[in-house]
Amino acid sequence: QQQQQEGAQRLDLTAVAAVAEQLAALGLELLCRATANASVADVLCDEALLRQLYWLLLSPPSGRVLGLAVALLRRLSGSPLAAQVGGYQGGGVMLLAVLLHQGGWPWPGGDTAAGQEEGAAARAAAADVLSALLAQPTHGPRVNLLLGRLLPPGLVAAIAEGPPATVIRALEQTVETPECVWDPRMASQASAEVAALALAVRKQHATSSYDWSPPPDYRLQYSSLQGELYVGGVYVRLFLKNPKFAVRDPMRFAEALVERYLQELTAACAAAAAAGKGAVAAHRGLTAAALDRCLLLSAAAVALLQGHALLADQVAQLGYVGRLLGLLATRTASLQPGKLQQQQQQQQPIQQQPADVVSPQPDELAGS
């Protein structure tokens, strides 16, 4: 008799859950239809409703409810409030948890194949909502900053550009271009970390404390990106492997390369001067790592300008040539021409060349 009572209670709970799921789906569908009217959408859109929609993304009772919740968020994503809750209250993390979801979906009593289809559709819809939030002029930069702490910059740019199908393909395959690096191990790491953060956000919201942001120094670290030099939206090493790659913003890349190159040299000179070595020994102040960075940066700048000749004039107009020449002048200011020639003769004896051998001109020397 006790077992019969327990079975009846389970049936009752199942029936109640099914009714609750139907009511939630019907309510969301009604709101989706109503918000097709812009005036109605403006009236309905408030922080409380948006937070509840973001909450539904974490524990939806069914794939249908998840899809309708994301669809309603898409209808409301043009409002600054949607991006505000997404960027300042952790809603963007909850959307990203849907987009990065791996494995099955925990929906009881549903068909597995249908659940996978609904889940895939929800992921694509989440990518569409994130793209709309990133495009929002008022609070979109905050959403971009949040996503930039969790994903490689190239993926954030891909989400912003869309379309959703392209984003899903990028997330599900191995990518290694000068602007984006992504592989299955990074996908698993991001999925687990973002899911944990989303639960932490929801737990904080349960205490009626809604403003949320990761710690100031927080950034998800990927082992695949360790040691990569990232400048101006491009991984320098990968760009040198494929210098003909069409970067999104060549001018931004060129400016960032030259600026970073000057920063590295300036820091080395300052370190050498502080150590009392003087300008002559400034080159020795470069550590092996700093020297490698300078070589990569200069090589990338040359490769970029070879492929985009018009950038040379634009870089010159920004004053970088004068700054570089000024930096070189400070490095050689204390050397007298005669003394410099004497040092070179002592360190590297001049080899006699046959009379018929023509000395190479400076512009023929590789790297000059």
Side-chain angles (χ1 to χ4, degrees):
Q1 185 177 2
Q2 183 178 358
Q3 291 179 351
Q4 291 178 351
Q5 291 177 351
E6 291 176 354
Q9 289 176 355
R10 283 196 296 270
L11 289 175
D12 290 342
L13 290 176
T14 302
V16 170
V19 172
E21 189 275 337
Q22 292 178 0
L23 289 175
L26 291 173
L28 289 170
E29 187 173 354
L30 178 61
L31 289 174
C32 284
R33 293 177 181 273
T35 50
N37 184 294
S39 300
V40 176
D42 291 338
V43 172
L44 290 177
C45 187
D46 64 4
E47 287 189 30
L49 173 62
L50 289 166
R51 276 196 299 269
Q52 290 177 6
L53 291 175
Y54 283 119
W55 293 345
L56 271 177
L57 304 181
L58 293 185
S59 55
S62 67
R64 179 173 62 160
V65 170
L66 175 61
L68 289 169
V70 179
L72 184 53
L73 277 172
R74 182 64 184 91
R75 291 285 180 86
L76 302 176
S77 59
S79 168
L81 273 177
Q84 179 180 340
V85 177
Y88 290 91
Q89 299 184 16
V93 176
M94 300 180 187
L95 266 172
L96 189 59
V98 176
L99 178 59
L100 298 178
H101 181 87
Q102 294 184 336
W105 298 84
W107 297 321
D111 180 73
T112 302
Q116 290 299 104
E117 291 180 3
E118 292 170 339
R123 292 181 63 207
D128 195 23
V129 177
L130 283 171
S131 177
L133 296 184
L134 288 168
Q136 212 284 323
T138 306
H139 302 294
R142 172 70 180 192
V143 179
N144 185 81
L145 178 63
L146 180 62
L147 297 187
R149 294 186 176 187
L150 299 169
L151 295 176
L155 271 185
V156 178
I159 293 172
E161 293 176 0
T166 302
V167 177
I168 297 299
R169 278 199 304 272
L171 289 172
E172 293 179 346
Q173 63 185 4
T174 299
V175 180
E176 186 179 88
T177 71
E179 291 184 330
C180 185
V181 176
W182 189 252
D183 57 40
R185 183 173 58 178
M186 296 172 69
S188 298
Q189 181 183 354
S191 177
E193 181 74 9
V194 172
L197 284 176
L199 291 176
V201 174
R202 182 64 185 93
K203 185 177 180 180
Q204 178 182 313
H205 286 183
T207 65
S208 299
S209 175
Y210 301 121
D211 289 342
W212 179 89
S213 63
D217 57 346
Y218 173 85
R219 184 175 295 275
L220 185 55
Q221 300 294 328
Y222 295 98
S223 58
S224 301
L225 299 180
Q226 292 293 329
E228 292 288 352
L229 182 59
Y230 185 79
V231 177
V234 179
Y235 294 102
V236 176
R237 180 185 64 84
L238 296 178
F239 175 75
L240 288 173
K241 288 178 62 176
N242 184 14
K244 295 184 179 181
F245 181 85
V247 298
R248 285 188 176 89
D249 192 341
M251 185 59 205
R252 176 195 172 201
F253 184 36
E255 185 177 350
L257 282 172
V258 181
E259 181 67 36
R260 179 67 180 272
Y261 180 69
L262 290 172
Q263 290 176 359
E264 294 285 349
L265 289 181
T266 302
C269 291
K277 298 177 180 179
V280 179
H283 178 74
R284 298 189 184 93
L286 285 169
T287 64
L291 183 58
D292 287 343
R293 288 194 296 269
C294 288
L295 291 174
L296 283 173
L297 292 166
S298 59
V302 170
L304 180 65
L305 293 177
Q306 286 176 340
H308 301 79
L310 295 179
L311 288 179
D313 291 337
Q314 300 180 41
V315 171
Q317 291 173 4
L318 293 174
Y320 287 112
V321 175
R323 289 175 58 187
L324 179 58
L325 292 176
L327 180 60
L328 294 177
T330 61
R331 287 166 59 86
T332 59
S334 62
L335 285 178
Q336 299 297 326
K339 185 177 180 181
L340 176 60
Q341 185 176 7
Q342 183 180 1
Q343 285 185 356
Q344 291 176 341
Q345 291 175 351
Q346 292 175 354
Q347 294 176 2
Q348 185 175 1
I350 299 177
Q351 297 180 358
Q352 297 295 329
Q353 295 182 342
D356 58 342
V357 176
V358 179
S359 298
Q361 298 301 311
D363 58 356
E364 296 174 343
L365 295 174
S368 66

